[in-house]
Amino acid sequence: MDMLNQILSINNGGAYGGGKAGGAFDPLTFAMKPQVVIRALCWLFSVVVFGCISSEGWTEKDGKEYCLYNGDGMACKYGNMVGVFGFLASMGFMAGEFLFERMSSVKSRKRYVMADMGFSAGWTFMYFVAFLYLWSQWSSSPPPPLGIGAGSMKTAIWFCLFSIVSWALCALMAYKRFLIGAGDEFTSAFETDPANVVHQQAYGYSMDNDNDQYSASPFSQPQQGGMDQQQAAAMEYAQHTY
């Protein structure tokens, strides 16, 4: 759990959990970012999935191409499709992480984070379907001739399972980024709302105060002045009386 919290700890002080725009680029720091590391794993797993299926997932039987997943050509095609698009998307999002730190527009960062969150969640589901589909067909298929390709088919299934975890982590990190950005937008909008500024001035407090301490009541000074006037009037009355 501590390791997961460390991976998901992505608030770097900038908008939507990124760094300040225009900062110096450090290749080592960029390569060690949780988003880049997990996305690199997604890229690697995708390469393994479509590489195993495309290289040994097909054989010839009765003069026709035969998919080792129980002869279901759609299973091989679906596994290849998920792997190839996952491979391309992983490279695209790694390039996006490089550009993310240079986005000075908050709206641009928001669009990127929402695209990352949506695609990562969608591809988690796609890999989940691929895992169930390939595992179901493989468990029903006869052993391939001489066992050729069996190891690759099992490897593709296992790496579909690993991809579910890696893409889900990407979706979680993007969701946390979105929450950070949404919270910053709410705070900024509240503090700059003219109605809230008027209330802050009228009741003597400020949202910028880090200690959340209220200032002195605006009514304290008039009340003190009123007490002084009452004491003076009472003393004057006493003098006239005696």
Side-chain angles (χ1 to χ4, degrees):
M1 184 60 69
D2 292 338
M3 183 178 295
L4 180 60
N5 291 332
Q6 186 176 2
I7 292 175
L8 296 178
S9 180
I10 57 177
N11 192 356
N12 296 323
Y16 285 90
K20 302 292 184 180
F25 176 71
D26 183 3
L28 181 60
T29 302
F30 174 77
M32 295 301 293
K33 286 179 61 177
Q35 293 89 344
V36 177
V37 174
I38 300 300
R39 196 69 70 180
L41 290 178
C42 292
W43 176 85
L44 177 62
F45 296 163
S46 297
V47 170
V48 173
V49 170
F50 81 78
C52 289
I53 296 176
S54 60
S55 62
E56 294 189 331
W58 298 89
T59 186
E60 286 192 6
K61 186 176 182 179
D62 299 330
K64 297 180 181 180
E65 287 189 338
Y66 179 83
C67 176
L68 293 183
Y69 288 114
N70 200 27
D72 187 354
M74 285 300 300
C76 287
K77 292 177 181 178
Y78 182 81
N80 267 331
M81 183 272 294
V82 173
V84 169
F85 279 98
F87 164 79
L88 296 175
S90 297
M91 290 196 301
F93 281 113
M94 281 193 286
E97 287 297 329
F98 174 77
L99 298 175
F100 186 77
E101 304 292 340
R102 287 152 182 77
M103 295 179 186
S104 58
S105 171
V106 176
K107 290 184 178 180
S108 297
R109 288 192 175 192
K110 181 178 181 180
R111 294 190 189 100
Y112 173 81
V113 170
M114 292 181 67
D116 184 5
M117 180 172 58
F119 188 90
S120 297
W123 229 245
T124 301
F125 176 75
M126 295 289 283
Y127 266 113
F128 177 72
V129 174
F131 171 74
L132 293 181
Y133 190 10
L134 299 183
W135 176 76
S136 175
Q137 293 299 328
W138 178 251
S139 62
S140 302
S141 62
L146 303 178
I148 299 175
S152 295
M153 299 302 96
K154 294 177 181 178
T155 301
I157 294 173
W158 276 107
F159 276 85
C160 282
L161 180 62
F162 299 154
S163 295
I164 295 172
V165 178
S166 62
W167 282 95
L169 283 175
C170 290
L172 283 174
M173 288 188 291
Y175 178 66
K176 185 171 182 180
R177 270 181 169 177
F178 180 77
L179 291 180
I180 292 172
D184 292 341
E185 286 184 354
F186 175 79
T187 303
S188 177
F190 182 84
E191 293 180 354
T192 57
D193 189 346
N196 292 324
V197 172
V198 172
H199 282 85
Q200 292 172 23
Q201 294 174 350
Y203 291 97
Y205 68 90
S206 173
M207 293 298 295
D208 294 332
N209 195 337
D210 294 334
N211 296 323
D212 293 333
Q213 298 291 332
Y214 290 92
S215 63
S217 171
F219 302 107
S220 60
Q221 188 64 32
Q223 289 176 356
Q224 183 66 33
M227 291 296 295
D228 292 342
Q229 292 176 2
Q230 291 177 3
Q231 292 176 359
M235 292 177 63
E236 184 178 358
Y237 175 77
Q239 290 176 359
H240 286 293
T241 302
Y242 297 102

